[in-house]
Amino acid sequence: IPCVPWQSQTSGHAEYDGGIKHAISIPMSEDLALSTDSGEPIVLDQAKDQHVRKSFDNLASGLLNELKHAKTTLYPAVKPVAETHVVLEYPNGTGLRIGNRFLRSKCKCAHCVNEFTGAQILKYEQVDIAVRPLKIVTTGNYAVTLNWSDGHVSIFPYDTLVSVGREETGMGT
């Protein structure tokens, strides 16, 4: 099976990063192969290609069904609060506060964590007590980038922010 960017290396089944896991084999017919090679669309109403049409119908139905039942992840807005905290605010009104100094000490970049051992290099005690984010920017669909007052830049995936906030409040991960 040829490898494409959204294909699992281990299972051989296509899996899109957006959470859609429906995969199907499309049987090839000579007419379908020739039309895709030339870039001309083929109408699958021909009697000899009904098995191909059925496969496309199954693929479309499966994807629609997954989309209907897909979980929608609502990511929090990440905002500074006073000079001491950031808050994760969810659309449903819930939130989580994280101390700036604590969050800065949890950066996982190569300057703050040993790339070979995973050990945290930057310790809480080493972080300036007055550190604060100067800029918070959404990064893709998975994270935020914080530009800190000490000149450092951190990227925190949303899941990591929640884990750090729970760790600070003693709620666990």
Side-chain angles (χ1 to χ4, degrees), residues 4-160:
V4 292
W6 38 264
Q7 186 175 22
S8 167
Q9 295 288 329
T10 55
S11 71
H13 295 285
E15 185 170 321
Y16 174 67
D17 288 334
I20 304 299
K21 295 175 175 52
H22 191 80
I24 190 167
S25 313
I26 303 295
M28 294 301 288
S29 70
E30 184 178 347
D31 289 338
L32 182 62
L34 290 174
S35 72
T36 57
D37 286 346
S38 67
E40 295 178 21
I42 185 171
V43 177
L44 296 176
D45 286 334
Q46 301 165 7
K48 65 181 177 178
D49 287 326
Q50 287 302 309
H51 67 289
V52 176
R53 181 190 176 109
K54 184 175 179 176
S55 294
F56 276 106
D57 287 343
N58 288 341
L59 175 62
S61 296
L63 287 172
L64 287 173
N65 191 41
E66 283 194 42
L67 287 171
K68 247 191 317 189
H69 296 95
K71 293 180 182 175
T72 303
T73 304
L74 298 175
Y75 294 110
V78 182
K79 301 175 181 177
V81 175
E83 296 286 317
T84 59
H85 288 77
V86 295
V87 66
L88 311 181
E89 292 179 349
Y90 288 90
N92 67 3
T94 61
L96 183 63
R97 287 173 54 114
I98 308 170
N100 291 337
R101 186 177 184 199
F102 190 78
L103 182 57
R104 173 65 183 89
S105 74
K106 297 299 180 176
C107 180
K108 300 297 181 194
C109 80
H111 293 286
C112 299
V113 172
N114 184 306
E115 292 182 87
F116 300 106
T117 66
Q120 191 77 33
I121 297 168
L122 179 68
K123 304 294 183 207
Y124 177 81
E125 298 76 24
Q126 297 171 307
V127 177
D128 183 348
I129 195 166
V131 72
R132 60 187 173 83
L134 300 176
K135 186 175 182 183
I136 301 173
V137 180
T138 301
T139 304
N141 291 320
Y142 72 98
V144 293
T145 299
L146 289 95
N147 293 15
W148 295 100
S149 58
D150 64 1
H152 190 72
V153 177
S154 300
I155 298 175
F156 286 101
Y158 291 109
D159 291 346
T160 301

